[in-house]
Amino acid sequence: MKTMILLTVAASLVTFGQPRVENRKDRQDARINQGRESGELTKKEAAKIRARQKDLNQQIREDRRDGGGLTAAERVKIEKRQDNISEKIYREKHDAQKTAPKP
């Protein structure tokens, strides 16, 4: 019985964990775009953050290729890096550097 429960939980993590990573990536990209449009992010700041996101996306692709999906440990590592990128977006949007908002 315990084995069945563990298998069910593991299957749900595999099924539901991957969309969460993708959804968060999309939300962060939207935050970067909004920051550029409002002038809260400079072009250089946005480019640096996007480069970090691009590196993470490459890591995700490699992790998925390794074993047919993301393991729980890989998801934890990815979410930690996404946390760091999210923090960077926040800090850059709230610093003193501003540009003119896009019309």
Side-chain angles (χ1 to χ4, degrees):
M1 183 66 173
K2 288 182 183 179
T3 304
M4 181 60 102
I5 292 172
L6 288 175
L7 288 174
T8 303
V9 170
S12 67
L13 286 175
V14 168
T15 303
F16 297 113
Q18 291 178 4
R20 177 183 166 134
V21 168
E22 292 300 320
N23 290 338
R24 186 159 183 199
K25 181 184 75 161
D26 293 341
R27 287 191 313 270
Q28 288 185 171
D29 191 45
R31 288 175 59 208
I32 294 167
N33 291 336
Q34 184 277 328
R36 281 294 295 136
E37 289 173 9
S38 70
E40 293 173 308
L41 288 176
T42 66
K43 187 175 184 178
K44 188 175 180 178
E45 289 171 337
K48 285 183 178 183
I49 295 168
R50 284 192 172 113
R52 290 175 75 176
Q53 184 68 43
K54 183 178 177 183
D55 290 342
L56 177 57
N57 293 342
Q58 179 62 35
Q59 183 64 48
I60 292 169
R61 282 191 295 277
E62 289 172 10
D63 288 347
R64 285 185 175 155
R65 265 187 255 138
D66 290 357
L70 297 174
T71 65
E74 289 169 336
R75 273 193 302 282
V76 168
K77 186 173 80 172
I78 289 166
E79 287 184 11
K80 177 128 177 83
R81 286 185 66 188
Q82 285 178 324
D83 289 344
N84 291 336
I85 292 170
S86 180
E87 167 99 15
K88 181 75 171 167
I89 294 168
Y90 177 84
R91 278 187 278 123
E92 295 294 353
K93 284 178 77 171
H94 293 88
D95 66 5
Q97 296 175 334
K98 304 286 182 206
T99 61
K102 292 185 178 181

